[in-house]
Amino acid sequence: MALSRHQTIAFTPAELEFFAENEPITIVPTHYIEKLDLICGSFGPFRPPHKVQIPLWLAAFLKSSNKCRIVPPAWLEPDHLEKLCMQEEVPESRFSPLPPHYIAITNILFDCAEDDLGDSQTIRRLLQDIQEVRQGKVREGIKALNPTQLQMDNLSVAEINQVRPLFKGMFNTLREINLLKREQHAPNEYLDNEEATYSQFDPSSSAY
């Protein structure tokens, strides 16, 4: 199947989740499990109720097998998200720092471990509010776009992925316009320099 132009520029949701699955997360095992020696590394041993930090993909697998409980990351606590939401809503404020894969991580956790997240409905609402405010900031940032760069610190991978096709096209257009302006001004500057140089050595000049 041929990919669309958009698909060749931006990552798919599945690809973003694949990247996020390697992020570390803490679990509490509910069963004794010996050390796991895998191609990507060794994990464990797992001894309840001792917490262990493992990749998200392994945590999701153990959770689906009812062999662990996932500990929600601190940034996903409702109180913390409420503060972030308030910070994001401050006029002309910067993007609040969040994990690069926070959107994909939360999607995975909602799929496999919503019962471990506590007040999941509040978390969903706050995350949606945060994302909507941040999207509004991105739209405002477009107004500051120039042919050189666009400074937007603390954007997540998914947020960058959403705007990459748009910004890439706009950057290319602005660069082309900027190049045309330079080409239009260059001949005039060249002629001005030539005239100035010629007048200095013109025998008919009053200086002689």
Side-chain angles (χ1 to χ4, degrees), residues 54-141:
I54 58 176
L56 180 55
W57 65 265
L58 181 56
F61 172 75
L62 294 177
K63 175 64 180 181
S64 65
S65 303
N66 295 318
K67 293 183 178 179
C68 80
R69 177 177 61 84
I70 293 179
V71 179
W75 56 266
L76 203 53
E77 294 293 333
D79 289 344
H80 181 68
L81 292 177
E82 189 76 47
K83 292 179 181 178
L84 287 183
C85 192
M86 294 176 63
Q87 292 173 7
E88 294 284 0
E89 291 175 344
V90 175
E92 299 184 1
S93 62
R94 296 185 176 184
F95 292 93
S96 300
L98 280 163
H101 295 286
Y102 84 93
I103 294 177
I105 291 174
T106 54
N107 288 338
I108 294 172
L109 291 179
F110 279 128
D111 286 340
C112 73
E114 185 169 359
D115 58 319
D116 290 338
L117 299 182
D119 191 353
S120 61
Q121 294 303 315
T122 298
I123 293 174
R124 284 182 185 273
R125 176 180 58 79
L126 290 172
L127 284 171
Q128 183 176 355
D129 291 345
I130 290 172
Q131 290 178 43
E132 288 177 355
V133 175
R134 290 166 71 95
Q135 288 171 1
K137 287 184 178 180
V138 171
R139 289 192 292 269
E140 288 297 317

Side-chain angles (χ1 to χ4, degrees), residues 12-23:
T12 65
E15 288 172 327
L16 293 176
E17 287 198 3
F18 176 79
F19 299 144
E21 286 176 342
N22 285 317
E23 293 295 310

Side-chain angles (χ1 to χ4, degrees), residues 16 100-104 155-164:
L16 293 176
H101 295 286
Y102 84 93
I103 294 177
L155 278 182
S156 72
V157 175
E159 290 164 337
I160 294 173
N161 189 63
Q162 290 174 352
V163 299
R164 181 186 285 115

